[in-house]
Amino acid sequence: MGVMECKLCGYDKKLVEAHVIPRSFHEPLKQGGQTPLIITSTPGIYPKSSHTGVYDKEIVCEACEAIFSPWDDYGHEFLTQKLEDAKYIGSNREKLAYNFGQCDYGRLKLFFLSVLWRAGVSKQRLFNKVQLGPYEEKLRQVILSKEAGGVEDFSVALSKFDAPANETGILNPDRTMYEGVNHYRLYLGGYMAVIKVSSQPPPKCFDGLYIAPNQDVFCLVRNFRESKEFMAMVYTVKNSRTPR
């Protein structure tokens, strides 16, 4: 590929193949020799198989891609760690949440924010529901500064499905509202990261759940088979037709 403007540093450079969602999250989905299916609820976009995940050749240069690497590595390490039974929080033997304990707040939050920014600037149709508007530039500045900001700045909360990552598949990021506050949802290895993209205060429903410095990270547990995401996947696959 020839020289193009890097969307992160702004300089004209040779760009590299950059995975929006790190490839390390794609590998476990190939267990059993299966080719992972990428599914989006966007009309007109058909489920497609992919051995390598979704990457974009028109986002960043090699030097800027390297900025993401330590955050991607930490995010993958954090979200793929073995979960201990003693750290689950539940009622009547039902698992309701998991306590990860404390994390490296800066690296974990910058991981999620950098994935969201990559999805926002990508031209791949899988990410066309991520329209960040003026927050695209704000996120770019956060990434360049390598400062995660306070809890209320692009707040991040976690939940996970009660199914293995190779069952939950690859879902496209999308936008939703919680108590009238705009958020984006990222799906990574069986987890869902909810990111507040709004100048409004965080909604009360996430009190104590947003990732914060020097505090334990709590992750809600969701029933995958009864989730809207599972029903959307089933509907999309059943109603898809091979385009001519």
Side-chain angles (χ1 to χ4, degrees), residues 108-117 119 130 132 135 139 151-158 173-178 181-188 192-198 203 206 210-211:
L108 187 61
K109 187 169 180 180
L110 286 168
F111 162 66
F112 291 121
L113 298 189
S114 67
V115 172
L116 179 62
W117 178 82
V130 182
L132 297 172
Y135 292 97
L139 277 173
V151 177
E152 294 195 5
D153 303 317
F154 295 108
S155 311
V156 179
L158 280 178
D174 62 7
R175 184 174 69 89
T176 191
M177 306 284 280
Y178 294 102
V181 181
N182 187 56
H183 288 69
Y184 278 94
R185 297 181 289 197
L186 298 177
Y187 296 92
L188 299 154
M192 181 179 78
V194 174
I195 304 174
K196 180 177 79 75
V197 181
S198 171
F206 286 116
Y210 285 127
I211 297 171

Side-chain angles (χ1 to χ4, degrees), residues 40-242:
T40 173
S41 57
T42 304
I45 302 181
Y46 302 91
K48 59 181 286 188
S49 58
S50 173
H51 288 284
T52 60
V54 180
Y55 58 85
D56 196 316
K57 301 178 181 179
E58 300 182 2
I59 296 180
V60 292
C61 63
E62 185 175 5
C64 287
E65 169 76 356
I67 293 174
F68 305 137
S69 294
W71 306 337
D72 289 353
D73 290 345
Y74 184 77
H76 180 260
E77 177 186 340
F78 187 89
L79 295 180
T80 58
Q81 64 183 280
K82 184 177 180 180
L83 304 185
E84 302 175 22
D85 288 339
K87 293 187 177 180
Y88 276 102
I89 301 167
S91 176
N92 297 324
R93 298 184 180 181
E94 180 183 4
K95 295 176 179 178
L96 303 176
Y98 185 81
N99 183 358
F100 280 101
Q102 294 191 20
C103 68
D104 185 319
Y105 171 77
R107 284 199 291 171
L108 187 61
K109 187 169 180 180
L110 286 168
F111 162 66
F112 291 121
L113 298 189
S114 67
V115 172
L116 179 62
W117 178 82
R118 282 175 266 181
V121 298
S122 174
K123 294 180 180 178
Q124 295 289 340
R125 295 180 70 192
L126 181 68
F127 307 113
N128 65 2
K129 288 190 174 182
V130 182
Q131 303 292 329
L132 297 172
Y135 292 97
E136 180 182 306
E137 175 59 21
K138 291 180 180 180
L139 277 173
R140 188 179 80 91
Q141 293 299 330
V142 168
I143 292 168
L144 290 173
S145 72
K146 300 181 182 179
E147 295 291 337
V151 177
E152 294 195 5
D153 303 317
F154 295 108
S155 311
V156 179
L158 280 178
S159 66
K160 72 178 295 295
F161 292 119
D162 61 353
N166 62 333
E167 291 185 17
T168 60
I170 302 171
L171 299 168
N172 62 308
D174 62 7
R175 184 174 69 89
T176 191
M177 306 284 280
Y178 294 102
E179 297 181 11
V181 181
N182 187 56
H183 288 69
Y184 278 94
R185 297 181 289 197
L186 298 177
Y187 296 92
L188 299 154
Y191 287 85
M192 181 179 78
V194 174
I195 304 174
K196 180 177 79 75
V197 181
S198 171
S199 60
Q200 295 177 266
K204 295 295 183 182
C205 64
F206 286 116
D207 278 354
L209 294 178
Y210 285 127
I211 297 171
N214 305 314
Q215 293 186 22
D216 288 355
V217 177
F218 292 97
C219 175
L220 299 180
V221 177
R222 302 173 60 205
N223 186 311
F224 180 59
R225 294 284 172 174
E226 295 180 4
S227 69
K228 293 180 180 179
E229 287 84 355
F230 176 73
M231 297 307 298
M233 289 173 64
V234 171
Y235 177 84
T236 301
V237 172
K238 284 185 176 181
N239 290 277
S240 65
R241 297 178 182 177
T242 303

